[in-house]
Amino acid sequence: MEFRTLSKVLPLTLLLVIFVIQLQSTDAKIKDGDCEVCVKFIDKLLNSLEEDEKGNIGKIEKKFRKMCAKAKGKENRFCYYVGGTEDAATGIVGEMSKPASWGMPADKICEKLSKKDSQICELKYDKQIDLVNVNMKKLKVKDLKKILEGWDETCKGCAEKSDFIRKIEELMPEYAPEAAKARAQAKADL
């Protein structure tokens, strides 16, 4: 008696499991705003490819690794997850380069990568500081340091917040010329 009940329930359970798995795989599609680091970096890669590189997996991977060597912050972390950095523990670069060689768009490539490693789509860019309108005296020293790090600069000997602000204002014409001009104009208007 129990065997008959089990033989009826088992196929239904199997169908339910297949349905849930299918539902999860369709839910893996990325939404607007998700995977922003991946999509932007892959877009940059695809747009930088020459005509003779577009269909060649090896050349795409070489270009990807070259871009990863220069990447910083969240983009470097993305490269690490995919396997584009020398210290990466994983290597799913092929999961990126094959679809790229077929002409697949960046968002679809990122969707495939996120199935292999969900951390890839969890990366988000830090909020950018509006250097034109921000009152730097109200920023935290941590944020001032981030501005300098974004410019590949440091502030040796800086102990006070005012030291960091002075360094940023000194370097702003070189790294953010529009912001420097706008700030100078605002000072002149006062």
Side-chain angles (χ1 to χ4, degrees), residues 153-188:
E153 295 284 347
T154 58
C155 191
K156 292 183 181 174
C158 292
E160 303 284 326
K161 182 188 274 191
S162 59
D163 297 332
F164 286 99
I165 293 171
R166 191 173 4 325
K167 183 72 171 182
I168 289 170
E169 287 174 344
E170 176 186 313
L171 294 170
M172 196 179 292
E174 182 181 342
Y175 293 103
E178 297 85 23
K181 285 178 189 174
R183 290 177 77 86
Q185 184 64 40
K187 272 187 181 179

Tab-separated table of all heavy atoms in Angstrom, residues 153-188:
chain	number	residue	atom	x	y	z
A	153	GLU	N	46.699	59.672	-6.322
A	153	GLU	CA	47.523	60.603	-5.552
A	153	GLU	C	47.397	60.272	-4.074
A	153	GLU	O	46.419	59.660	-3.644
A	153	GLU	CB	47.069	62.057	-5.780
A	153	GLU	CG	47.258	62.555	-7.192
A	153	GLU	CD	48.703	62.886	-7.528
A	153	GLU	OE1	49.544	62.973	-6.609
A	153	GLU	OE2	48.989	63.064	-8.727
A	154	THR	N	48.392	60.670	-3.325
A	154	THR	CA	48.343	60.543	-1.874
A	154	THR	C	48.675	61.901	-1.275
A	154	THR	O	49.155	62.797	-1.963
A	154	THR	CB	49.353	59.496	-1.360
A	154	THR	OG1	50.658	59.886	-1.783
A	154	THR	CG2	49.021	58.106	-1.840
A	155	CYS	N	48.455	62.027	-0.001
A	155	CYS	CA	48.739	63.282	0.691
A	155	CYS	C	49.713	62.966	1.814
A	155	CYS	O	49.314	62.753	2.962
A	155	CYS	CB	47.445	63.902	1.211
A	155	CYS	SG	47.641	65.594	1.806
A	156	LYS	N	50.974	62.878	1.470
A	156	LYS	CA	52.001	62.578	2.473
A	156	LYS	C	52.131	63.750	3.423
A	156	LYS	O	52.198	64.897	3.006
A	156	LYS	CB	53.336	62.283	1.794
A	156	LYS	CG	53.312	61.005	1.003
A	156	LYS	CD	54.658	60.691	0.406
A	156	LYS	CE	54.547	59.389	-0.394
A	156	LYS	NZ	55.749	59.093	-1.119
A	157	GLY	N	52.162	63.433	4.683
A	157	GLY	CA	52.312	64.467	5.695
A	157	GLY	C	51.014	65.157	6.067
A	157	GLY	O	51.029	66.090	6.864
A	158	CYS	N	49.915	64.729	5.505
A	158	CYS	CA	48.623	65.343	5.828
A	158	CYS	C	48.126	64.791	7.162
A	158	CYS	O	47.987	63.580	7.322
A	158	CYS	CB	47.590	65.060	4.743
A	158	CYS	SG	47.946	65.874	3.186
A	159	ALA	N	47.879	65.695	8.084
A	159	ALA	CA	47.398	65.282	9.400
A	159	ALA	C	45.999	65.822	9.672
A	159	ALA	O	45.218	65.206	10.387
A	159	ALA	CB	48.364	65.763	10.476
A	160	GLU	N	45.690	66.950	9.104
A	160	GLU	CA	44.408	67.609	9.333
A	160	GLU	C	43.538	67.543	8.080
A	160	GLU	O	44.049	67.400	6.973
A	160	GLU	CB	44.638	69.083	9.685
A	160	GLU	CG	45.526	69.312	10.877
A	160	GLU	CD	44.818	69.034	12.192
A	160	GLU	OE1	43.596	69.306	12.268
A	160	GLU	OE2	45.469	68.529	13.114
A	161	LYS	N	42.253	67.689	8.286
A	161	LYS	CA	41.320	67.725	7.163
A	161	LYS	C	41.700	68.854	6.197
A	161	LYS	O	41.651	68.688	4.983
A	161	LYS	CB	39.896	67.924	7.668
A	161	LYS	CG	38.860	67.916	6.557
A	161	LYS	CD	37.482	68.314	7.051
A	161	LYS	CE	36.737	67.132	7.585
A	161	LYS	NZ	35.303	67.417	7.832
A	162	SER	N	42.123	69.982	6.728
A	162	SER	CA	42.480	71.136	5.893
A	162	SER	C	43.661	70.812	4.970
A	162	SER	O	43.749	71.345	3.858
A	162	SER	CB	42.799	72.354	6.752
A	162	SER	OG	43.879	72.065	7.632
A	163	ASP	N	44.564	69.919	5.414
A	163	ASP	CA	45.692	69.501	4.567
A	163	ASP	C	45.191	68.734	3.347
A	163	ASP	O	45.669	68.935	2.225
A	163	ASP	CB	46.675	68.620	5.352
A	163	ASP	CG	47.317	69.344	6.525
A	163	ASP	OD1	47.451	70.584	6.449
A	163	ASP	OD2	47.680	68.662	7.504
A	164	PHE	N	44.223	67.837	3.566
A	164	PHE	CA	43.654	67.065	2.460
A	164	PHE	C	42.910	67.985	1.484
A	164	PHE	O	43.025	67.841	0.275
A	164	PHE	CB	42.713	65.973	2.991
A	164	PHE	CG	43.412	64.817	3.624
A	164	PHE	CD1	43.546	64.733	5.007
A	164	PHE	CD2	43.953	63.805	2.854
A	164	PHE	CE1	44.202	63.663	5.592
A	164	PHE	CE2	44.606	62.728	3.426
A	164	PHE	CZ	44.729	62.663	4.801
A	165	ILE	N	42.154	68.929	2.035
A	165	ILE	CA	41.409	69.870	1.188
A	165	ILE	C	42.374	70.698	0.346
A	165	ILE	O	42.167	70.896	-0.851
A	165	ILE	CB	40.501	70.769	2.055
A	165	ILE	CG1	39.388	69.924	2.687
A	165	ILE	CG2	39.905	71.902	1.225
A	165	ILE	CD1	38.559	70.647	3.735
A	166	ARG	N	43.448	71.177	0.964
A	166	ARG	CA	44.443	71.971	0.241
A	166	ARG	C	45.049	71.158	-0.902
A	166	ARG	O	45.204	71.645	-2.013
A	166	ARG	CB	45.537	72.451	1.204
A	166	ARG	CG	46.455	73.485	0.616
A	166	ARG	CD	47.453	74.114	1.530
A	166	ARG	NE	47.803	73.932	2.826
A	166	ARG	CZ	47.214	73.612	4.020
A	166	ARG	NH1	46.311	73.424	4.186
A	166	ARG	NH2	47.566	73.454	5.164
A	167	LYS	N	45.378	69.886	-0.645
A	167	LYS	CA	45.961	69.015	-1.662
A	167	LYS	C	44.977	68.787	-2.818
A	167	LYS	O	45.361	68.824	-3.989
A	167	LYS	CB	46.387	67.679	-1.029
A	167	LYS	CG	47.076	66.726	-1.953
A	167	LYS	CD	48.470	67.193	-2.278
A	167	LYS	CE	49.237	66.108	-3.033
A	167	LYS	NZ	50.598	66.502	-3.310
A	168	ILE	N	43.717	68.555	-2.477
A	168	ILE	CA	42.690	68.341	-3.514
A	168	ILE	C	42.537	69.597	-4.363
A	168	ILE	O	42.491	69.524	-5.596
A	168	ILE	CB	41.348	67.916	-2.880
A	168	ILE	CG1	41.458	66.494	-2.329
A	168	ILE	CG2	40.211	67.999	-3.894
A	168	ILE	CD1	40.291	66.056	-1.468
A	169	GLU	N	42.455	70.745	-3.721
A	169	GLU	CA	42.306	71.998	-4.470
A	169	GLU	C	43.528	72.279	-5.335
A	169	GLU	O	43.409	72.841	-6.422
A	169	GLU	CB	42.033	73.150	-3.500
A	169	GLU	CG	40.622	73.091	-2.940
A	169	GLU	CD	40.341	74.134	-1.870
A	169	GLU	OE1	41.305	74.736	-1.315
A	169	GLU	OE2	39.152	74.347	-1.578
A	170	GLU	N	44.683	71.857	-4.867
A	170	GLU	CA	45.922	72.024	-5.636
A	170	GLU	C	45.928	71.142	-6.882
A	170	GLU	O	46.380	71.549	-7.956
A	170	GLU	CB	47.107	71.660	-4.721
A	170	GLU	CG	48.474	71.682	-5.330
A	170	GLU	CD	49.511	71.148	-4.347
A	170	GLU	OE1	49.504	71.563	-3.182
A	170	GLU	OE2	50.324	70.288	-4.764
A	171	LEU	N	45.405	69.916	-6.753
A	171	LEU	CA	45.418	68.953	-7.862
A	171	LEU	C	44.181	69.016	-8.759
A	171	LEU	O	44.181	68.457	-9.849
A	171	LEU	CB	45.560	67.530	-7.306
A	171	LEU	CG	46.876	67.202	-6.607
A	171	LEU	CD1	46.778	65.861	-5.900
A	171	LEU	CD2	48.025	67.210	-7.589
A	172	MET	N	43.140	69.691	-8.302
A	172	MET	CA	41.877	69.711	-9.043
A	172	MET	C	42.015	70.218	-10.483
A	172	MET	O	41.415	69.638	-11.386
A	172	MET	CB	40.822	70.508	-8.289
A	172	MET	CG	39.419	70.251	-8.791
A	172	MET	SD	38.154	71.136	-7.904
A	172	MET	CE	38.194	70.354	-6.308
A	173	PRO	N	42.793	71.286	-10.755
A	173	PRO	CA	42.912	71.721	-12.159
A	173	PRO	C	43.475	70.644	-13.092
A	173	PRO	O	43.150	70.607	-14.270
A	173	PRO	CB	43.868	72.920	-12.075
A	173	PRO	CG	43.728	73.410	-10.676
A	173	PRO	CD	43.461	72.196	-9.835
A	174	GLU	N	44.282	69.748	-12.546
A	174	GLU	CA	44.877	68.679	-13.355
A	174	GLU	C	43.898	67.521	-13.572
A	174	GLU	O	43.792	66.987	-14.674
A	174	GLU	CB	46.141	68.166	-12.663
A	174	GLU	CG	46.867	67.084	-13.426
A	174	GLU	CD	48.106	66.582	-12.676
A	174	GLU	OE1	48.588	67.278	-11.772
A	174	GLU	OE2	48.570	65.478	-13.018
A	175	TYR	N	43.180	67.108	-12.522
A	175	TYR	CA	42.334	65.916	-12.585
A	175	TYR	C	40.853	66.209	-12.832
A	175	TYR	O	40.141	65.352	-13.338
A	175	TYR	CB	42.487	65.089	-11.304
A	175	TYR	CG	43.860	64.474	-11.164
A	175	TYR	CD1	44.794	65.022	-10.307
A	175	TYR	CD2	44.221	63.364	-11.907
A	175	TYR	CE1	46.054	64.465	-10.182
A	175	TYR	CE2	45.472	62.795	-11.800
A	175	TYR	CZ	46.394	63.343	-10.925
A	175	TYR	OH	47.630	62.793	-10.811
A	176	ALA	N	40.390	67.366	-12.426
A	176	ALA	CA	38.983	67.738	-12.624
A	176	ALA	C	38.923	69.208	-13.036
A	176	ALA	O	38.460	70.062	-12.270
A	176	ALA	CB	38.193	67.480	-11.355
A	177	PRO	N	39.388	69.510	-14.256
A	177	PRO	CA	39.488	70.911	-14.669
A	177	PRO	C	38.142	71.649	-14.707
A	177	PRO	O	38.082	72.828	-14.352
A	177	PRO	CB	40.120	70.844	-16.055
A	177	PRO	CG	40.056	69.428	-16.483
A	177	PRO	CD	39.894	68.598	-15.265
A	178	GLU	N	37.058	70.963	-15.106
A	178	GLU	CA	35.754	71.617	-15.150
A	178	GLU	C	35.312	72.016	-13.751
A	178	GLU	O	34.791	73.115	-13.538
A	178	GLU	CB	34.684	70.707	-15.784
A	178	GLU	CG	34.943	70.341	-17.236
A	178	GLU	CD	35.868	69.146	-17.393
A	178	GLU	OE1	35.987	68.335	-16.457
A	178	GLU	OE2	36.498	69.040	-18.460
A	179	ALA	N	35.523	71.135	-12.794
A	179	ALA	CA	35.157	71.424	-11.410
A	179	ALA	C	36.005	72.572	-10.867
A	179	ALA	O	35.497	73.447	-10.161
A	179	ALA	CB	35.320	70.182	-10.546
A	180	ALA	N	37.289	72.572	-11.196
A	180	ALA	CA	38.176	73.643	-10.735
A	180	ALA	C	37.728	74.990	-11.289
A	180	ALA	O	37.684	75.991	-10.555
A	180	ALA	CB	39.615	73.339	-11.140
A	181	LYS	N	37.365	75.034	-12.572
A	181	LYS	CA	36.901	76.285	-13.190
A	181	LYS	C	35.596	76.755	-12.551
A	181	LYS	O	35.427	77.938	-12.263
A	181	LYS	CB	36.690	76.094	-14.697
A	181	LYS	CG	37.966	76.026	-15.493
A	181	LYS	CD	37.663	75.791	-16.969
A	181	LYS	CE	38.938	75.511	-17.742
A	181	LYS	NZ	38.673	75.141	-19.133
A	182	ALA	N	34.662	75.833	-12.342
A	182	ALA	CA	33.374	76.179	-11.756
A	182	ALA	C	33.543	76.696	-10.329
A	182	ALA	O	32.900	77.668	-9.927
A	182	ALA	CB	32.442	74.976	-11.778
A	183	ARG	N	34.434	76.076	-9.565
A	183	ARG	CA	34.679	76.524	-8.186
A	183	ARG	C	35.352	77.899	-8.177
A	183	ARG	O	35.020	78.747	-7.347
A	183	ARG	CB	35.517	75.491	-7.435
A	183	ARG	CG	34.756	74.208	-7.131
A	183	ARG	CD	35.628	73.172	-6.449
A	183	ARG	NE	35.851	73.453	-5.062
A	183	ARG	CZ	35.044	73.083	-4.072
A	183	ARG	NH1	33.936	72.409	-4.357
A	183	ARG	NH2	35.316	73.369	-2.824
A	184	ALA	N	36.287	78.113	-9.103
A	184	ALA	CA	36.959	79.412	-9.186
A	184	ALA	C	35.952	80.498	-9.575
A	184	ALA	O	35.993	81.603	-9.026
A	184	ALA	CB	38.103	79.343	-10.193
A	185	GLN	N	35.056	80.185	-10.496
A	185	GLN	CA	34.032	81.141	-10.919
A	185	GLN	C	33.094	81.465	-9.771
A	185	GLN	O	32.713	82.616	-9.562
A	185	GLN	CB	33.237	80.579	-12.117
A	185	GLN	CG	32.219	81.527	-12.691
A	185	GLN	CD	32.836	82.767	-13.286
A	185	GLN	OE1	33.874	82.685	-13.938
A	185	GLN	NE2	32.232	83.913	-13.033
A	186	ALA	N	32.722	80.448	-8.997
A	186	ALA	CA	31.830	80.668	-7.851
A	186	ALA	C	32.503	81.554	-6.814
A	186	ALA	O	31.839	82.410	-6.202
A	186	ALA	CB	31.436	79.327	-7.252
A	187	LYS	N	33.806	81.372	-6.588
A	187	LYS	CA	34.542	82.212	-5.640
A	187	LYS	C	34.607	83.650	-6.146
A	187	LYS	O	34.485	84.598	-5.366
A	187	LYS	CB	35.961	81.678	-5.431
A	187	LYS	CG	36.094	80.654	-4.365
A	187	LYS	CD	37.557	80.308	-4.128
A	187	LYS	CE	37.700	79.249	-3.067
A	187	LYS	NZ	39.095	78.877	-2.849
A	188	ALA	N	34.821	83.792	-7.457
A	188	ALA	CA	34.912	85.131	-8.042
A	188	ALA	C	33.574	85.869	-7.977
A	188	ALA	O	33.548	87.098	-7.835
A	188	ALA	CB	35.389	85.039	-9.501
